[in-house]
Amino acid sequence: MTGRLDGLDGEPSGGRQDGPRVVALGGGHGLYASLSALRRVTPELTAVVTVADDGGSSGRLRRELGVVPPGDLRMALAALCGDDEWGRTWSEVVQHRFRSEGELHGHAVGNLLIVALWEKLGDTVAGLDWLGRLLGAHGRVLPMCSVPLDIVAEVELDGEVSIVRGQVACALTPGRVRAVSLVPENPPACPEAVRAVLEADWVVFGPGSWFTSVLPHLKVPELAEALHATRARRLVTLNLAPQPGETDGFSPQQHLEVLRRHAPALEIDVVLADRGVVEDREELEKAAAGLGGRLVLADVAAPDGSPRHDARRLASVLEEIFHKKR
């Protein structure tokens, strides 16, 4: 194994040097799946990540140190690691969680590395770039916002609507989430994230927790403005299954209807869905057309039948879409 700290005066290097400029939006396991595929398609890749996590290791670091929660940022960096020994090793290291009877229990190594770099450098973006270089990341990871956020959800249960605050609470509360907002109400967007969106060829929404990972990007005013103004084409990758506690009972087309309610003027060019989970193709095509887009059905789920995307299958389909072959 050889060291890999090249590119210290710029963005991470390595991999193919051609391909569209792609920005992927989301957080958690959904964004991990998207990035695991997209890094196989283009080296010009930027992840713009939600920063509202208030649980686990991230929540503890956020409360104790007042930092942007690092967990979803860490997962995005891990997804961008390569398939060689260096990439696999570092991906496992940053995802490793301590198991003990003490204060370190449950903390992810990558979370601690990220926060240490933030304290050392005093710059959120620079810290993420430095860790990306160490990992040999095939792309760049940015927070969507420069301050920690709280998600506030309107939740309907048995005809009653209540307000729930916090990402963990929103994900676990019984009932159906109707809409989300952010606290603070008009948070400052990460300038580098705004620039990446404006300079992109493609912007990819999802897959992921619809209300807590995907839609929050549209609630950050400067970022939402960039998502509407960019000349990039926009693609939505739909989930393979409803998210428990958020989208129970949602059909694929209902995900698109929620997106339209949160951003009525946002046009989508392509909606990508796995053919195995679409029961009513005609209705989904209508929902895609209502956003200005077309539907692409493909086999992108893992072959074992689990509700997760297969990175290589998804990469193959995305590459075809980006190069107008599908």
Side-chain angles (χ1 to χ4, degrees), residues 6-31:
D6 52 332
L8 290 179
D9 57 348
E11 295 181 19
S13 61
R16 293 170 48 193
Q17 296 303 309
D18 61 336
R21 292 184 297 271
V22 179
V23 172
L25 308 177
H29 294 284
L31 182 59

Side-chain angles (χ1 to χ4, degrees), residues 131-155:
L131 185 54
R133 294 174 191 129
L134 174 63
L135 305 182
H138 294 251
R140 195 180 195 196
V141 173
L142 299 169
M144 73 173 184
C145 187
S146 53
V147 298
L149 301 173
D150 278 332
I151 293 175
V152 178
E154 294 180 14
V155 181

Side-chain angles (χ1 to χ4, degrees), residues 14-185:
R16 293 170 48 193
Q17 296 303 309
D18 61 336
R21 292 184 297 271
V22 179
V23 172
L25 308 177
H29 294 284
L31 182 59
Y32 186 98
S34 182
L35 296 175
S36 297
L38 286 166
R39 68 173 171 82
R40 293 174 161 86
V41 177
T42 178
E44 300 293 330
L45 176 58
T46 301
V48 178
V49 185
T50 52
V51 287
D53 192 2
D54 58 353
S57 173
S58 285
R60 291 160 62 190
L61 291 168
R62 171 179 176 169
R63 289 187 292 273
E64 183 172 343
L65 301 174
V67 295
V68 168
D72 285 354
L73 299 162
R74 178 203 79 243
M75 286 191 68
L77 284 166
L80 292 176
C81 288
D83 295 321
D84 58 356
E85 184 184 10
W86 182 277
R88 292 194 306 271
T89 300
W90 276 110
S91 178
E92 292 172 2
V93 168
V94 297
Q95 295 282 65
H96 176 77
R97 290 185 185 273
F98 293 105
R99 295 290 179 261
S100 72
E101 300 298 325
E103 293 296 323
L104 275 177
H105 179 74
H107 272 306
V109 171
N111 289 356
L112 301 178
L113 281 172
I114 289 170
V115 174
L117 282 162
W118 288 344
E119 289 194 350
K120 172 70 175 176
L121 301 173
D123 188 311
T124 302
V125 170
L128 294 168
D129 285 344
W130 269 89
L131 185 54
R133 294 174 191 129
L134 174 63
L135 305 182
H138 294 251
R140 195 180 195 196
V141 173
L142 299 169
M144 73 173 184
C145 187
S146 53
V147 298
L149 301 173
D150 278 332
I151 293 175
V152 178
E154 294 180 14
V155 181
E156 183 177 359
L157 179 63
D158 298 329
E160 298 287 331
V161 177
S162 59
I163 303 298
V164 177
R165 178 166 174 166
Q167 181 170 312
V168 172
C170 293
L172 297 178
T173 187
R176 173 173 289 192
V177 178
R178 302 199 319 178
V180 291
S181 57
L182 298 177
V183 176
E185 187 175 353

Side-chain angles (χ1 to χ4, degrees), residues 215-227:
L215 296 180
H217 293 78
L218 296 165
K219 296 298 181 179
V220 179
E222 293 167 294
L223 186 56
E225 182 179 347
L227 289 167

